[in-house]
Amino acid sequence: MMDITLFSPKGKLSTYFFPSNQQSNNGQVSIDMQSNNSNQQQPQNSHTSTSRSSDSVEPCATANKWASKLLKECARAISDKDSSKIHHLLWMLNELASPYGDCDQKLASYFLQALFCKATESGHRCYKTLTSVAEKSHSFDSARKLILKFQEVSPWTTFGHVASNGAILEALEGETKLHIIDISNTLCTQWPTLLEALATRNDETPHLKLTVVVTANIVRSVMKEIGQRMEKFARLMGVPFEFNVISGLNRLGELTKEGLGVQEDEAIAVNCIGALRRVSEEERRTVIQMFQSLGPKVVTVVEEEADLTSSRYDFVKCFEECLRFYTLYFEMLEESFVPTSNERLMLERECSRSIVRVLACDDNENDEEECERRERGSQWCERLREAFSPVGFSDDVVDDVKALLKRYRGGWGLVLPQGDHHDSSGIYLTWKEEPVVWASAWKP
Amino acid sequence: MATNRFLCEICGKGFQRDQNLQLHRRGHNLPWKLKQRTSKEVRKRVYVCPEKTCVHHHPSRALGDLTGIKKHFCRKHGEKKWKCEKCSKRYAVQSDWKAHSKTCGTREYKCDCGTIFSRRDSFITHRAFCDALAEETARVNAASTMNLAVGNNISYHLMGTPLGPSMAQHFSSIFKPISGTTDETIDQTSRGLSLWMGSQGNNNNLQEIHQLGSVSSGAIFGTDPIVSITNNPSPPQADYQLNWVFGSKLPTSNAEALASTSLPLSDVKESVTQLVSVPSLYSSQQQSSHQAHSSANMSATALLQKAAQIGATSTDPSFLGSFGFKSNSNQVQEGNKYCGLVYGSNTIASGLGSDHHVVLENSVSSDHISTLNQLQMYPAKRRHLQSEDSNGGGQTRDFLGVGVQAISCHPSSINGWI
C-alpha cells in the first residue's frame, strides 16, 4: 500500500497514512470518529484510512458508547451538584466498570475513580496512594521492559524521538562538543539511536554530554541504572560520552546554566518530551525563559495533543477533553498490544494517576505533586514563540518519521502543517486521523 | 569515454578500474606466486576532487581512477537523489542505492540475549538496555594489574582495549599461536581481559557477576572455534560473526560476514584492526576509574568444569584463542590479579580451584561483534583506519557486499604528485 497524500479542504495540511504491510486490507473501513465533535480545531479530513484489518476487535468503536455517556453525565451532575444523580450514576458506573474489561469498561473504571474523588474531595489522598503504590512496584527492569515493549508496538513515543533526534543532529552538525539537556519521560530510550547516529554519521565523532533532569520520584530511582547502561553503550559505539543526572529539583524553573554544567564551548540542545505539561501553568513562561538563558542551538518539544489547561476551571469541559484524549489512548493501546499483554495493563494503570490528578486535585493545593495539564501544540507554540522561533523539520527527518511509521501496524498518520506557518508549527502524529502527539523544534 | 586500460594478462579482458581487474584475476585460480600483481604498474593518482573544501581536493590525497573520484564526489558533495523506500535512507550514487535496496529490510538483527529484531532502531535501543550488554562490560573490567600465569600449552592473551593506533600492536600479539609458553605480563593500566566461553550454559552463571565497572574492552575476539567443540547443539549465532576474520567459521546469519570469508589473510589484520578500532574509542580515564577492585564473587565451578572438558585444541593458528578465563580472585597472590588462561588447559583450569573467582565471558564478543557488523557498514571511522597500516591501496569494501553507504577508500602511499 502506498502512502495516501491528502489535502484538507482548506489545502493547508497534508496527511500521510501508513497502512501496514502486515495487515490484509479488506476494503475501506470507515472509522468511527466519535471523538470528532469535540475537536473544533482539528483539520477536517474527509477521507478514510484503509489501514484497519477487519478482524481486529473494536469494542471501543461501536455506537454503544455507554461509558462515555454515563461518565459525561456524571461529570455534569457533579458540576451541577446534583447529589442524587451523582450517586445514581456513580453506582451504575461502578457496576459496569472494570479495569480488565473492554475499552468502555476500562475507561469507566479509571474515570469513575476520578469522579468519585472529585465528588468526595479525596483527590489528593487518592493520588498519593496511587503514587506510592506505583513507586513500590517500579524497578529498572519493569520500567525498561514496559517502555521498550511500548515502543515496539506503537510509535507513540518513538515518533517524538525520531523527529527530535533528527532536528538535534542537524542543528548541531559540525559541532565537536555537544551538550544535550534532556527533560523527558522516556527513560533515555531516545539516546541509543542518537549515539549510533553520532558514531556512524561523521568522520569525527563529537563528544556528547547528556544531562538528564529528573523530577518524578519514580524515575529518579531507575536513573542510576539507566545512566550506567548509557555509558556502556556509548563506549560500545565509540562516542566520548558523559552522563549526568539532575534530581531533587522542586521546580524546573530553578534550573540554571551553572546548575546544569553548561560550558561556554558546548553546543547546547534542550530536549523536552512530555515535560512541559508537568510544569504548573503559571511557571511555564519562566521555564521557557530559562531554556532561552541556556543559549541552546535547538530546543525540541514533544507533547501529547490535548487541552487540559484552558479548561481547568470548567470541570465539565475539562472532563470531556480528558475523556476524549484517554479514549484515544486506550483504544490505541488496545489495538497495539496483544489482548493478554501485561504491559498494556500497566500503561493503563499509569494513566489513572494522571486522570485523578487533573480532574480531582486542586492545582494550587499541593505544590509538590506534579500536575499534568496538557496543552495542544498550537498553544505550546504561542508560549514558545515568545523566546524562540520555529524550525521546520527537514525533508530528511520527515522521511525518517514516515519510514518509522511504516514499520508499525496501520492506523498511524503524519500531519505536516504547510503554507501558513502561523500558530501551526511542528508535526503531528495521528492515530485514526486524530492528532495525538505533537513534535516541534525551535531555535533562538 | 571510459577506456579499459587494465588488462588481464591471462585472458586479455579489459577493465576500467584496477579493482575490478583484481577481482577478475582471482577467478583464474592463479598459483599463489602469481596472485600478486605481476606488473606493479605505478598507478598515478591523478584525480582530484573539484570541491575545494574537500580533503581530496589536494593532490596529495588524489584518487586513482575516474569512477572512484566521481563516486566520491557524488557521495560526499552531491545531492542525494536516490532514496530507499523502506527506510528513507538517501544516496547520491545510484549503485549505492541499488545495493542497499537489495538488503534493506531483509536483515535481521540479533541481540546476544537471543531476541531478534527486524527493525534496526528497536534493535539498537534494545541493545543499549539489554542485560547482556551490562554483564559483559562488568566482566571485562579488571583491576589495575593483571598477572598472567604461564603453563604448559597455555599462553595468555589479553584482550586489550587500547586506544586508537595502539590497537595494532595488540593484534600482533594476538596473532601468536596458542601453544607455546609465552610469558606475558603486560601493564594493565589499559587492558581488559576478555574471555570467551562460547557455551550457552554460562548464561546463568553470568548473572552472578557483580558489576565490576564499565569498560567495554576489546571484546573483539569473542568467537572461538572451541565453541564448536562444546556440546552446543545450536552454537550461538552471534558468536560467530567475527569468525570470518580468522577464516575459520562461517557465521550462520550474516551475509556480509559470509561474503568476507574470502578475505586474504593479509587483509584480515587490517580489517580486524579496523573493526576493533571502531568501538574501542573511549577515554582512558574511564579505565583507570574502573580499576577499583570489584568483588566479583563468582562461583564458577560449573564453568571451570566445562573449561576443563575442553581440550587444548587450537584449530587455527591464526585464530587467537583469545579467550581464557579472567579470574578475579582475591586470594590469589597479591590483591586482585587476573589470570588469563587460554582455553584448553586442564591443569590450569583445575588448578584454579574453587577459590578463584572466575569470570567467563559468553557473549562479550558477540555483543561487540554484532555491533561491529552493524558498524562495519559505515565508513565512519576513517581516522582510525588511516592510522593503521594500509595493506596496499584502494581497498574498498565493495566485495564485502556492504555497499550500504559510501565505501571508504584508503589511500595508500602516495606514489607521486600530480
Side-chain angles (χ1 to χ4, degrees):
Chain A
M1 292 297 296
M2 306 307 290
D3 294 352
I4 306 165
T5 308
L6 296 149
F7 293 89
S8 74
K10 294 174 196 150
K12 276 198 175 182
L13 298 154
S14 55
T15 314
Y16 300 88
F17 286 87
F18 301 90
S20 152
N21 298 333
Q22 301 147 7
Q23 288 187 343
S24 58
N25 289 308
N26 298 326
Q28 303 210 333
V29 178
S30 74
I31 295 157
D32 176 36
M33 305 288 273
Q34 52 91 18
S35 46
N36 238 354
N37 41 18
S38 47
N39 302 345
Q40 271 77 30
Q41 295 164 2
Q42 302 314 314
Q44 303 303 310
N45 295 314
S46 54
H47 58 272
T48 55
S49 161
T50 58
S51 57
R52 302 251 303 267
S53 70
S54 62
D55 57 4
S56 72
V57 178
E58 304 170 11
C60 309
T62 60
N64 187 17
K65 303 282 292 167
W66 59 265
S68 168
K69 293 193 186 95
L70 284 178
L71 288 167
K72 286 184 190 173
E73 246 191 85
C74 191
R76 264 175 241 124
I78 290 177
S79 175
D80 297 339
K81 296 192 189 339
D82 185 340
S83 292
S84 63
K85 207 171 177 194
I86 295 172
H87 279 108
H88 176 61
L89 288 164
L90 285 179
W91 178 86
M92 274 187 71
L93 283 164
N94 192 39
E95 286 295 301
L96 299 166
S98 163
Y100 307 109
D102 64 16
C103 256
D104 270 74
Q105 288 174 292
K106 286 180 201 162
L107 288 164
S109 171
Y110 292 111
F111 277 89
L112 166 62
Q113 182 180 57
L115 286 170
F116 181 81
C117 288
K118 175 76 175 175
T120 57
E121 294 184 359
S122 56
H124 282 283
R125 203 182 333 133
C126 179
Y127 182 76
K128 278 201 174 74
T129 311
L130 290 171
T131 307
S132 69
V133 165
E135 276 174 8
K136 287 196 181 75
S137 62
H138 257 76
S139 68
F140 169 72
D141 275 336
S142 71
R144 167 190 65 172
K145 195 168 168 222
L146 184 63
I147 194 167
L148 287 183
K149 185 71 191 171
F150 186 32
Q151 291 179 344
E152 210 179 290
V153 303
S154 165
W156 191 274
T157 56
T158 49
F159 168 82
H161 288 175
V162 170
S164 299
N165 282 350
I168 290 172
L169 284 167
E170 284 176 2
L172 301 184
E173 176 82 42
E175 298 282 346
T176 50
K177 283 189 76 178
L178 314 185
H179 187 174
I180 297 179
I181 318 269
D182 183 23
I183 316 169
S184 307
N185 60 352
T186 47
L187 305 178
C188 289
T189 50
Q190 178 175 357
W191 306 120
T193 42
L194 182 100
L195 281 167
E196 194 261 351
L198 284 177
T200 56
R201 270 198 197 193
N202 314 310
D203 285 344
E204 295 290 324
T205 306
H207 179 280
L208 172 64
K209 184 156 97 181
L210 182 64
T211 301
V212 175
V213 179
V214 165
T215 48
N217 278 323
I218 289 168
V219 181
R220 225 172 280 181
S221 59
V222 307
M223 238 20 209
K224 183 161 176 257
E225 182 75 40
I226 290 175
Q228 287 172 347
R229 305 280 169 123
M230 287 293 110
E231 283 168 347
K232 279 171 202 153
F233 187 74
R235 264 195 297 278
L236 184 64
M237 287 289 115
V239 176
F241 183 70
E242 193 184 322
F243 184 86
N244 298 313
V245 176
I246 311 266
S247 62
L249 272 182
N250 284 331
R251 286 185 173 70
L252 219 49
E254 289 172 8
L255 286 173
T256 60
K257 226 173 164 177
E258 297 75 33
L260 288 164
V262 168
Q263 321 262 337
E264 288 311 314
D265 58 345
E266 291 171 340
I268 310 288
V270 178
N271 184 75
C272 286
I273 311 248
L276 288 181
R277 65 174 179 255
R278 289 169 214 268
V279 176
S280 70
E281 197 190 345
E282 301 77 32
E283 283 208 60
R284 286 174 186 179
R285 169 176 273 161
T286 312
V287 168
I288 290 172
Q289 281 169 353
M290 181 272 294
F291 290 162
Q292 191 181 28
S293 74
L294 303 175
K297 289 211 156 41
V298 64
V299 177
T300 47
V301 180
V302 176
E303 281 292 340
E304 290 166 356
E305 188 73 357
D307 179 9
L308 300 172
T309 301
S310 60
S311 56
R312 66 192 271 192
Y313 300 117
D314 180 337
F315 179 70
V316 172
K317 199 156 166 240
C318 191
F319 183 89
E320 291 184 350
E321 172 71 352
C322 195
L323 180 61
R324 176 199 73 82
F325 174 75
Y326 281 101
T327 303
L328 271 176
Y329 187 66
F330 272 55
E331 283 179 10
M332 180 276 298
L333 288 180
E334 177 145 311
E335 291 201 24
S336 303
F337 285 94
V338 294
T340 52
S341 163
N342 204 33
E343 283 84 18
R344 194 196 65 225
L345 184 62
M346 290 175 61
L347 286 169
E348 288 162 356
R349 280 207 194 118
E350 301 230 340
C351 297
S352 68
R353 285 199 316 276
S354 211
I355 294 171
V356 167
R357 184 74 178 83
V358 158
L359 295 177
C361 294
D362 211 350
D363 281 337
N364 303 324
E365 210 176 291
N366 209 328
D367 280 336
E368 282 155 23
E369 291 163 4
E370 257 187 0
C371 77
E372 220 181 317
R373 292 206 171 265
R374 294 169 171 79
E375 283 184 34
R376 289 182 190 273
S378 51
Q379 293 167 283
W380 292 118
C381 271
E382 272 183 44
R383 292 187 189 273
L384 288 159
R385 271 178 199 274
E386 288 180 12
F388 299 98
S389 37
V391 176
F393 290 105
S394 72
D395 288 340
D396 281 346
V397 176
V398 170
D399 284 344
D400 283 343
V401 173
K402 286 187 198 168
L404 173 80
L405 296 187
K406 276 191 201 155
R407 301 198 273 267
Y408 287 99
R409 284 179 65 166
W412 299 100
L414 170 65
V415 170
L416 306 174
Q418 284 175 358
D420 184 5
H421 274 268
H422 178 68
D423 226 20
S424 58
S425 305
I427 57 177
Y428 293 85
L429 172 71
T430 64
W431 164 248
K432 309 255 175 93
E433 300 168 48
E434 287 292 325
V436 287
V437 179
W438 170 75
S440 65
W442 303 83
K443 64 180 179 200
Chain B
M1 219 183 59
T3 56
N4 295 352
R5 60 191 186 96
F6 296 96
L7 299 172
C8 173
E9 66 264 30
I10 314 274
C11 64
K13 191 162 177 193
F15 295 88
Q16 290 178 33
R17 304 177 73 200
D18 185 48
Q19 295 98 312
N20 299 347
L21 168 62
Q22 294 310 314
L23 276 171
H24 160 83
R25 283 176 81 241
R26 284 191 195 164
H28 285 308
N29 285 323
L30 303 166
W32 190 85
K33 241 170 74 174
L34 292 175
K35 267 190 187 169
Q36 314 300 98
R37 296 181 57 177
T38 45
S39 60
K40 268 278 182 195
E41 176 192 313
V42 169
R43 174 154 44 114
K44 292 220 168 94
R45 293 181 167 261
V46 298
Y47 297 99
V48 169
C49 180
E51 172 61 41
K52 289 195 177 58
T53 61
C54 182
V55 190
H56 292 289
H57 183 68
H58 196 274
S60 66
R61 297 288 304 275
L63 301 182
D65 67 80
L66 180 63
T67 317
I69 196 78
K70 279 202 255 182
K71 279 192 176 173
H72 154 80
F73 179 77
C74 281
R75 282 180 194 132
K76 252 312 184 60
H77 314 295
E79 183 201 341
K80 298 193 168 169
K81 300 189 296 193
W82 304 96
K83 203 184 80 186
C84 173
E85 278 255 323
K86 292 179 208 151
C87 70
S88 90
K89 255 210 175 110
R90 288 186 153 169
Y91 296 93
V93 179
Q94 187 182 19
S95 56
D96 293 344
W97 169 75
K98 267 196 191 156
H100 164 83
S101 300
K102 281 191 198 155
T103 58
C104 183
T106 60
R107 291 199 64 167
E108 277 194 339
Y109 306 91
K110 184 167 182 190
C111 182
D112 305 309
C113 64
T115 327
I116 297 183
F117 298 87
S118 56
R119 277 166 36 201
R120 187 149 188 268
D121 51 341
S122 41
F123 168 62
I124 290 173
T125 312
H126 165 89
R127 279 218 65 225
F129 288 94
C130 186
D131 285 329
L133 176 72
E135 281 163 10
E136 157 266 316
T137 53
R139 244 169 288 132
V140 160
N141 198 22
S144 49
T145 54
M146 299 189 18
N147 251 1
L148 305 174
V150 178
N152 290 339
N153 295 329
I154 298 160
S155 60
Y156 294 83
H157 297 279
L158 294 180
M159 295 311 302
T161 49
L163 311 170
S166 56
M167 269 310 250
Q169 301 150 13
H170 286 274
F171 279 89
S172 54
S173 75
I174 284 161
F175 279 101
K176 284 190 205 145
I178 290 178
S179 60
T181 59
T182 51
D183 191 347
E184 294 178 352
T185 306
I186 300 174
D187 175 37
Q188 286 322 308
T189 48
S190 61
R191 306 291 151 105
L193 180 64
S194 64
L195 306 165
W196 306 104
M197 224 177 134
S199 102
Q200 283 156 336
N202 296 338
N203 274 332
N204 13 345
N205 291 332
L206 299 176
Q207 307 296 330
E208 306 171 46
I209 298 170
H210 291 254
Q211 287 273 356
L212 294 184
S214 51
V215 171
S216 77
S217 75
I220 314 305
F221 305 95
T223 54
D224 47 302
I226 292 184
V227 173
S228 62
I229 301 170
T230 61
N231 300 332
N232 280 338
S234 56
Q237 289 191 8
D239 288 357
Y240 286 86
Q241 288 183 13
L242 244 203
N243 266 328
W244 61 265
V245 171
F246 308 97
S248 49
K249 301 273 180 280
L250 284 187
T252 48
S253 65
N254 215 311
E256 294 83 353
L258 280 171
S260 60
T261 46
S262 60
L263 271 184
L265 204 56
S266 60
D267 284 343
V268 167
K269 203 185 220 171
E270 179 188 48
S271 308
V272 168
T273 318
Q274 295 164 359
L275 287 172
V276 167
S277 60
V278 169
S280 68
L281 240 207
Y282 56 93
S283 58
S284 52
Q285 47 182 300
Q286 285 171 335
Q287 280 178 321
S288 41
S289 68
H290 289 299
Q291 300 304 340
H293 305 317
S294 59
S295 56
N297 301 314
M298 171 81 180
S299 141
T301 320
L303 294 168
L304 283 173
Q305 285 168 356
K306 197 138 203 174
Q309 285 168 18
I310 294 161
T313 45
S314 81
T315 56
D316 186 351
S318 72
F319 180 85
L320 307 170
S322 47
F323 45 85
F325 299 163
K326 175 169 83 174
S327 69
N328 176 14
S329 61
N330 296 325
Q331 297 90 334
V332 177
Q333 293 112 356
E334 325 72 70
N336 288 331
K337 295 241 161 82
Y338 285 83
C339 301
L341 290 172
V342 154
Y343 218 90
S345 160
N346 289 347
T347 36
I348 295 301
S350 51
L352 280 178
S354 54
D355 286 340
H356 297 242
H357 301 287
V358 175
V359 176
L360 290 170
E361 303 240 24
N362 180 10
S363 52
V364 181
S365 61
S366 336
D367 246 25
H368 293 283
I369 289 162
S370 45
T371 308
L372 286 171
N373 271 321
Q374 316 303 325
L375 292 173
Q376 72 175 288
M377 309 288 274
Y378 298 90
K381 303 298 171 195
R382 290 206 200 156
R383 55 184 166 146
H384 304 295
L385 303 179
Q386 281 161 5
S387 64
E388 257 60 81
D389 294 331
S390 291
N391 287 353
Q395 178 183 344
T396 66
R397 292 238 191 119
D398 291 287
F399 56 84
L400 287 178
V402 173
V404 175
Q405 284 190 8
I407 310 291
S408 60
C409 290
H410 310 297
S412 65
S413 56
I414 308 301
N415 282 327
W417 287 68
I418 295 86

